């Protein structure tokens, strides 16, 4: 992997990640951009104790542009974009309309490929490995920023999810706090450790699912399963067999095997609603909308979680769709949005069976 860092016209950082070591990246951003001005701030809810990012400047962000005006495609002639070069493998740059900025953290965009009409599932294993290396590098770099406590790499796909740019891309949020979901996990880990005399909760979950009916696939270095209390209609958690706290600690064998495993899961998601068991109405339906989210341990000490350290956390990826059946979405209505109590319309064991049925050849 070759890494080349440069600056856009408004001062934002842009980084090329290339498969070839001899690639030269010297294109200049020719757009007449002024410095980005953000109003991001983080406010703490006194009742719930969680943080809310206030980012009113995002109201003016680009919204569903036509394909020939996509800001994530390479620059071509006089059609200028966020990427100055005429081609790229993987690119990461500071978001022009960030939810978090300055002392409130940082937001970055990750472009997986220059092919506008592609998707992550269409990448080669070499391209997927390059994305993994980019995620890892950005986790390392962002973890050293004074304001950052947790790094979150994720992908939203599909208009149903709320994606406003159709180009294959993801994002990275560097939070100035430990996120509420991670805090809940760490409290559960601490309670389990105390109750069992030192057992690790992540290890216990993986061991149980390996022998159960919710297992989707297992390889030498990875395990994928539908969780016992899945929140979403089709939800898969992907764990390395050897527990590590973050992408930085992931071993080379697991890194090498990851592309094949992850691409297989994404391709299965694209087939959930087609063919046997998926219903005829699934044919010709838009690609399955999904969210893919890496969960990594926060950086720094975990003093508020008594008896737990970073190495107790288990790196994993959660992949889920809001589509519950062909043509129907799972909405977060009264119980979910009002009380944070999820109601799942699909039996987790049935979801796992379906995901096994659609295994690619």
């Amino acid at each position: 992997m070759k890494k080349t860092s440069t600056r856009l016209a408004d001062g934002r950082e842009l980084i090329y990640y290339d498969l070839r070591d001899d690639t030269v990246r010297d294109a200049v951003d020719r757009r007449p951009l002024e410095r980005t001005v953000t109003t991001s701030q983080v406010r703490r809810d006194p009742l719930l104790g969680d943080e809310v990012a206030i980012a009113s400047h995002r109201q003016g962000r680009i919204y569903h542009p036509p394909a020939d005006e996509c800001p994530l495609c390479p620059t071509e002639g006089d059609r200028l974009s966020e990427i100055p070069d005429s081609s790229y493998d993987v690119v990461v740059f500071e978001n022009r309309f960030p939810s978090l900025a300055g002392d409130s953290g940082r937001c970055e965009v990750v472009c997986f490929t220059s092919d506008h009409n592609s998707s992550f599932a269409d990448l080669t294993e070499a391209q997927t490995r390059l994305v993994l290396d980019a995620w890892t590098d950005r986790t390392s770099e962002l973890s050293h920023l004074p304001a950052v406590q947790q790094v979150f790499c994720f992908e939203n796909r599909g208009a149903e999810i709320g994606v406003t740019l159709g180009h294959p891309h993801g994002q990275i949020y560097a939070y100035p706090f430990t996120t509420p979901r991670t805090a809940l996990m760490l409290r559960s880990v601490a309670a389990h450790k105390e109750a069992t005399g030192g057992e690790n909760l992540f290890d216990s979950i993986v061991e149980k699912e390996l022998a159960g009916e919710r297992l989707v696939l297992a390889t030498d270095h990875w395990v994928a399963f539908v969780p016992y209390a899945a929140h979403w209609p089709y939800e898969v958690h992907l764990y390395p067999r050897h527990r590590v706290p973050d992408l930085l600690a992931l071993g080379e064998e697991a890194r090498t095997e990851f592309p094949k495993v992850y691409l297989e899961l994404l391709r299965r998601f694209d087939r959930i609603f087609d063919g046997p068991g998926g219903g005829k109405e699934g044919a010709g339906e838009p690609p399955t909308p999904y969210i893919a989210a890496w969960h990594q341990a926060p950086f720094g000490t975990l003093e508020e979680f008594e008896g737990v350290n970073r190495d107790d956390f288990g790196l994993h990826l959660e992949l889920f769709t809001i589509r519950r059946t062909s043509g129907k979405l799972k909405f977060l209505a009264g119980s979910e949005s009002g009380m944070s109590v999820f109601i799942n319309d699909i039996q987790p064991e049935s979801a796992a069976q379906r995901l096994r049925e659609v295994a690619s050849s």
Side-chain angles (χ1 to χ4, degrees):
M1 177 188 79
K2 181 180 181 182
K3 175 183 174 183
T4 306
S5 180
T6 184
R7 292 282 172 179
L8 296 173
D10 55 7
R12 288 176 294 132
E13 185 178 20
L14 180 142
I15 307 160
Y16 294 97
Y17 293 90
D18 287 294
L19 290 167
R20 292 175 56 98
D21 290 336
D22 59 353
T23 303
V24 176
R25 299 295 185 186
D26 55 8
V28 176
D29 185 3
R30 293 180 281 131
R31 296 173 298 171
L33 298 180
E34 296 182 356
R35 287 269 176 178
T36 299
V37 178
T38 67
T39 58
S40 298
Q41 58 178 283
V42 174
R43 298 183 181 182
R44 186 173 181 83
D45 186 316
L47 283 178
L48 299 180
D50 59 3
E51 287 81 5
V52 177
I54 309 297
S56 57
H57 62 278
R58 284 174 53 79
Q59 285 282 36
R61 66 187 185 274
I62 299 171
Y63 187 81
H64 292 298
D68 60 356
E69 296 179 17
C70 175
L72 306 185
C73 287
T75 288
E76 183 177 352
D78 293 330
R79 189 181 67 78
L80 309 179
S81 75
E82 289 278 62
I83 296 89
D85 216 325
S86 58
S87 67
Y88 64 85
D89 291 335
V90 173
V91 165
V92 177
F93 59 88
E94 288 184 75
N95 198 321
R96 190 178 177 188
F97 303 95
S99 300
L100 305 165
D103 293 339
S104 296
R106 176 157 158 157
C107 292
E108 297 182 340
V109 177
V110 184
C111 298
F112 304 135
T113 171
S114 60
D115 184 355
H116 180 86
N117 297 313
S118 183
S119 71
F120 202 121
D122 297 322
L123 300 183
T124 65
E125 290 186 19
Q127 289 174 307
T128 302
R129 172 59 190 263
L130 185 61
V131 174
L132 175 62
D133 290 343
W135 282 331
T136 305
D137 181 71
R138 296 316 302 152
T139 297
S140 175
E141 292 291 330
L142 293 171
S143 71
H144 290 96
L145 296 180
V148 174
Q149 289 190 25
Q150 187 171 0
V151 179
F152 176 45
C153 307
F154 65 100
E155 179 192 3
N156 298 328
R157 186 179 81 161
E160 301 94 327
I161 296 292
V163 175
T164 57
L165 297 176
H167 195 102
H169 73 288
Q171 299 180 66
I172 302 176
Y173 278 20
Y175 297 103
F177 50 80
T178 297
T179 62
R181 188 174 179 86
T182 303
L184 287 174
M185 292 183 192
L186 289 169
R187 292 188 187 103
S188 295
V189 169
H192 184 82
K193 190 174 185 179
E194 182 178 3
T196 59
E199 287 184 11
N200 183 273
L201 179 57
F202 289 106
D203 293 347
S204 298
I205 290 173
V206 170
E207 181 180 1
K208 181 178 181 180
E209 296 297 350
L210 268 170
E213 59 184 321
R214 290 179 297 275
L215 185 68
V216 175
L217 64 83
T219 64
D220 290 343
H221 302 284
W222 294 91
V223 178
F225 56 86
V226 176
Y228 171 73
H231 289 57
W232 300 95
Y234 289 92
E235 176 180 346
V236 173
H237 292 190
L238 178 63
Y239 280 78
R241 282 184 181 260
H242 174 66
R243 172 170 45 86
V244 293
D246 53 37
L247 289 168
L248 303 176
L250 194 62
E252 181 57 33
E253 291 181 329
R255 299 177 71 81
T256 298
E257 194 179 63
F258 172 78
K260 182 177 181 179
V261 174
Y262 188 48
L263 290 173
E264 171 66 19
L265 287 177
L266 292 180
R267 290 162 186 170
R268 291 191 193 191
F269 259 60
D270 275 340
R271 287 193 292 272
I272 293 174
F273 304 103
D274 292 332
K280 293 182 180 180
E281 66 271 27
E285 196 162 28
T288 303
Y290 66 73
I291 293 174
W294 279 109
H295 291 263
Q296 306 191 78
F299 291 93
T301 60
L302 303 179
E303 296 177 354
E304 61 182 298
F305 308 103
E306 189 173 349
V308 172
N309 57 53
R310 290 194 80 249
D311 289 336
D312 289 320
F313 192 86
L315 167 76
H316 63 285
L317 184 143
E318 298 184 6
L319 173 67
F320 59 90
T321 179
I322 62 171
R323 185 179 291 166
R324 56 188 175 88
T325 189
S326 297
K328 297 179 181 179
L329 301 179
K330 166 64 180 176
F331 292 101
L332 300 189
S335 186
E336 293 88 357
S337 295
M339 284 294 168
S340 295
V341 177
F342 275 69
I343 300 170
N344 192 349
D345 303 299
I346 305 293
Q347 190 80 6
E349 292 74 17
S350 298
Q353 179 179 352
R354 179 61 184 153
L355 285 163
R356 291 193 296 269
E357 289 175 351
V358 297
S360 63
S361 58

